[in-house]
Amino acid sequence: MKGFIIDLDGTIYKNYQIIDGAREAIELLKKNNLPFVFLSNRGNISRKDCLKKLNQIGIDCRIEDVILASTIAARFFQQRKEESIWILGDEGLKEELIDHQVNLASKPEQADWLLITLHEQLTYEDLNNAFRAVLNGARIAVTNHDLIFPREDGPCIDVGGLIAAITATTGAKVQYSFGKPSPFMRDAALQQLQLEATDCVVIGDGLSTDMQLGIINEMKTAFVLSGVASVEDLHKANITPLFMGNTILDVVKDILEGVKHEYH
Amino acid sequence: MKGFIIDLDGTIYKNYQIIDGAREAIELLKKNNLPFVFLSNRGNISRKDCLKKLNQIGIDCRIEDVILASTIAARFFQQRKEESIWILGDEGLKEELIDHQVNLASKPEQADWLLITLHEQLTYEDLNNAFRAVLNGARIAVTNHDLIFPREDGPCIDVGGLIAAITATTGAKVQYSFGKPSPFMRDAALQQLQLEATDCVVIGDGLSTDMQLGIINEMKTAFVLSGVASVEDLHKANITPLFMGNTILDVVKDILEGVKHEYH
């Protein structure tokens, strides 16, 4: 194993609370000179926000070690300067788009694209503006499709809910989804690591995101139980990761020892 | 024609703005001693709120002349006192439920039912509480399924968006929908009018609501162009109402004259 692609929510932290062993796991990778990249479907924060948060909870890394769905969306629309974007989502996405000089629409009715991400500050008028953008012809792109994310106080409704609200009422379909397991995220991670997919392991708590990214790209997979999915969910989804543990520290230790964890 | 079943949003008013001719149309019915009932899929206001609004815009009627989807939902859950309800929707629905002594859950996780209606004061936490109610086993009922409603400043996303957000992220299905064209609404209207369905005409701007209510119950149908749907929408939906006009005054005059309006 040459490179590590590591999820954040449910793997490294839950909101502002670090998960047991996460700091030690990253230190272990560094001590062994193993390159890693944090790859997260979070689209509602900017890389700067995320780096600050990681540093605050004691994870020492650089901004280029962090790739978010918001980063990927911003890079995508940076290449389409002639088109304007309306956002349904938190301020972090807007910051990331502005950092990439993306053209933001001044009114929903004038937008070429509606870009949807998680919106924890959502109001009805935000939802209605997004609806009107699509009614007036904006195409839909989304940072990710996740249905649920973990917070300290329990599971929370994710961007999938906002996407469904807009698509069900307008009849429009999503044109692009940037998050894991999309090739946008894969390419960005491998470019940062400068490695081939088959040399990498994906560590995460998500079945349709992290595990799926690994499966479709012939990467190794390592599943952690510290997030939203359980062993039962794994079985239901008929997914058999190569490694499994309660925390990222467990699986990193197993990977370094070359142990395939048996959990049947 | 013995009785009139009349829609509100898009037929009598748009938000707080009366539609041309609505006051005169109601006065014409009264002068001819023709009974009428207002039947609206609005679930986010109480009957008291609605009566106050009608009176403010010059429509003179009694509280029993108004039947809302919130009224029907409240009557339904009044019969199920042992079950507790969590609401995703505006305060008007809560008032209507309290007026009917419905058992409201104190926490989303404890609710037997999630009742969804339009929520123009929506926040993310409201949406998340509803999500958690369903994750914890609450069944879903909705005041109505409407996707869009008219406001003075343009079309707005309706309760259908909120329903989709919850069902798409939880995998749960809607168990009861009280609004038009449901039999709950039909029965309430006919009971108020003390008439048979075939003796009544439904007047409204909704295809899947008002026109559908008429079609499936062998009522007469009268379509008004003052709301969200156009003649083109009618043709697309392959619906041929018996009467059609720009406003409710046009169709009431035609009905009283027994004229079948030709618009093909």
Side-chain angles (χ1 to χ4, degrees):
Chain A
M1 213 80 71
K2 297 185 187 164
F4 289 71
I5 296 172
I6 304 169
D7 176 49
L8 289 172
D9 288 86
T11 303
I12 295 293
Y13 52 64
K14 284 188 178 183
N15 212 358
Y16 278 90
Q17 188 182 311
I18 192 160
I19 288 170
D20 279 349
R23 203 177 298 120
E24 295 80 352
I26 300 303
E27 291 306 317
L28 210 50
L29 294 180
K30 286 184 183 169
K31 213 170 66 180
N32 286 277
N33 289 316
L34 288 163
F36 64 89
V37 62
F38 293 118
L39 192 69
S40 167
N41 271 3
R42 276 279 174 169
N44 65 328
I45 57 174
S46 66
R47 282 174 121 183
K48 283 179 196 159
D49 291 339
C50 189
L51 184 69
K52 196 172 155 194
K53 179 169 165 174
L54 283 166
N55 292 342
Q56 276 171 356
I57 59 171
I59 303 279
D60 177 32
C61 65
R62 308 157 304 166
I63 198 155
E64 56 265 38
D65 299 328
V66 180
I67 299 172
L68 307 173
S70 55
T71 318
I72 303 301
R75 289 178 186 172
F76 179 85
F77 286 113
Q78 193 177 31
Q79 306 301 318
R80 292 174 169 243
K81 284 209 193 308
E82 73 285 3
E83 295 174 333
S84 65
I85 319 300
W86 186 262
I87 298 170
L88 174 61
D90 289 324
E91 278 297 304
L93 178 60
K94 193 173 175 183
E95 286 167 29
E96 195 75 352
L97 294 182
I98 290 171
D99 270 358
H100 287 76
Q101 295 89 42
V102 170
N103 179 13
L104 300 178
S106 54
K107 288 184 178 178
E109 290 82 358
Q110 295 169 352
D112 296 304
W113 289 92
L114 170 68
L115 176 58
I116 308 179
T117 192
L118 176 61
H119 198 348
E120 292 188 85
Q121 307 304 319
L122 180 74
T123 67
Y124 175 78
E125 291 307 323
D126 292 330
L127 195 65
N128 198 39
N129 281 331
F131 173 72
R132 287 182 176 181
V134 177
L135 273 195
N136 283 276
R139 298 166 75 193
I140 303 175
V142 305
T143 56
N144 59 307
H145 258 107
D146 298 34
L147 304 178
I148 189 169
F149 72 94
R151 203 167 65 181
E152 297 109 327
D153 67 336
C156 291
I157 187 168
D158 207 337
V159 59
L162 302 180
I163 298 168
I166 300 300
T167 54
T169 50
T170 60
K173 304 267 180 247
V174 172
Q175 308 271 327
Y176 290 104
S177 179
F178 301 111
K180 295 174 283 190
S182 81
F184 299 102
M185 292 290 265
R186 175 200 62 202
D187 292 349
L190 296 178
Q191 193 187 5
Q192 174 60 26
L193 292 172
Q194 291 287 306
L195 289 171
E196 297 296 316
T198 48
D199 291 328
C200 296
V201 60
V202 184
I203 305 176
D205 70 315
L207 303 184
S208 61
T209 51
D210 305 308
M211 296 305 100
Q212 198 58 28
L213 179 75
I215 291 164
I216 61 183
N217 293 295
E218 297 185 63
M219 297 166 176
K220 310 291 182 297
T221 51
F223 179 72
V224 290
L225 285 160
S226 50
V228 287
S230 63
V231 174
E232 200 189 343
D233 295 329
L234 266 184
H235 289 163
K236 272 188 205 158
N238 205 18
I239 289 174
T240 310
L242 197 59
F243 299 91
M244 190 178 80
N246 286 320
T247 67
I248 182 175
L249 184 58
D250 295 339
V251 296
V252 164
K253 280 182 178 169
D254 281 352
I255 294 167
L256 295 186
E257 288 170 22
V259 175
K260 183 174 162 185
H261 199 78
E262 291 294 339
Y263 57 87
H264 297 291
Chain B
M1 212 77 72
K2 296 183 186 165
F4 289 71
I5 297 172
I6 303 169
D7 176 49
L8 288 173
D9 289 86
T11 303
I12 295 293
Y13 52 64
K14 283 189 178 181
N15 211 359
Y16 278 90
Q17 187 182 313
I18 192 160
I19 288 170
D20 279 349
R23 203 178 296 120
E24 296 80 352
I26 300 304
E27 291 306 317
L28 209 52
L29 295 179
K30 286 182 182 167
K31 213 170 67 182
N32 287 279
N33 288 316
L34 287 164
F36 64 90
V37 61
F38 293 118
L39 192 70
S40 167
N41 270 4
R42 274 278 175 171
N44 65 329
I45 56 173
S46 66
R47 283 174 119 184
K48 283 179 196 159
D49 290 339
C50 188
L51 183 69
K52 197 173 154 193
K53 178 169 166 174
L54 283 166
N55 292 342
Q56 276 172 355
I57 59 171
I59 302 280
D60 178 33
C61 65
R62 308 156 306 164
I63 196 154
E64 55 266 37
D65 299 328
V66 180
I67 299 173
L68 307 173
S70 56
T71 319
I72 302 300
R75 289 177 186 172
F76 180 86
F77 286 114
Q78 194 177 33
Q79 306 301 318
R80 292 175 168 241
K81 285 209 192 307
E82 72 286 2
E83 295 174 333
S84 65
I85 319 300
W86 186 263
I87 299 170
L88 174 61
D90 288 326
E91 279 297 303
L93 178 60
K94 191 172 175 182
E95 286 167 29
E96 196 75 354
L97 295 181
I98 289 171
D99 270 358
H100 287 76
Q101 296 89 44
V102 170
N103 180 13
L104 300 178
S106 53
K107 288 184 179 176
E109 290 81 359
Q110 295 168 353
D112 296 305
W113 290 92
L114 170 68
L115 176 56
I116 308 179
T117 192
L118 176 61
H119 198 348
E120 292 189 84
Q121 307 304 319
L122 180 73
T123 67
Y124 175 79
E125 292 306 323
D126 293 331
L127 194 65
N128 197 37
N129 282 330
F131 174 71
R132 288 182 176 181
V134 177
L135 273 196
N136 283 276
R139 297 166 74 194
I140 303 174
V142 305
T143 56
N144 60 308
H145 258 105
D146 298 32
L147 303 179
I148 190 168
F149 72 94
R151 204 168 65 182
E152 297 109 327
D153 66 336
C156 290
I157 187 167
D158 207 337
V159 58
L162 302 180
I163 298 168
I166 300 299
T167 55
T169 50
T170 61
K173 303 266 180 249
V174 172
Q175 309 271 325
Y176 290 103
S177 179
F178 300 111
K180 295 175 281 190
S182 82
F184 299 102
M185 292 290 267
R186 174 201 63 202
D187 292 350
L190 296 178
Q191 193 186 5
Q192 175 60 26
L193 292 172
Q194 291 288 306
L195 288 171
E196 297 296 315
T198 47
D199 290 328
C200 296
V201 61
V202 185
I203 305 176
D205 69 314
L207 303 183
S208 62
T209 52
D210 305 308
M211 296 304 101
Q212 197 58 26
L213 180 75
I215 291 165
I216 61 182
N217 293 296
E218 298 184 60
M219 298 166 176
K220 310 292 183 292
T221 49
F223 179 72
V224 290
L225 284 161
S226 50
V228 286
S230 63
V231 174
E232 199 190 345
D233 294 330
L234 266 183
H235 289 164
K236 273 189 203 159
N238 205 17
I239 290 174
T240 310
L242 198 58
F243 298 91
M244 190 178 80
N246 285 322
T247 68
I248 182 175
L249 184 58
D250 295 339
V251 296
V252 163
K253 280 180 177 169
D254 281 353
I255 294 166
L256 294 184
E257 288 169 22
V259 174
K260 183 175 164 185
H261 198 79
E262 293 293 340
Y263 57 86
H264 297 292

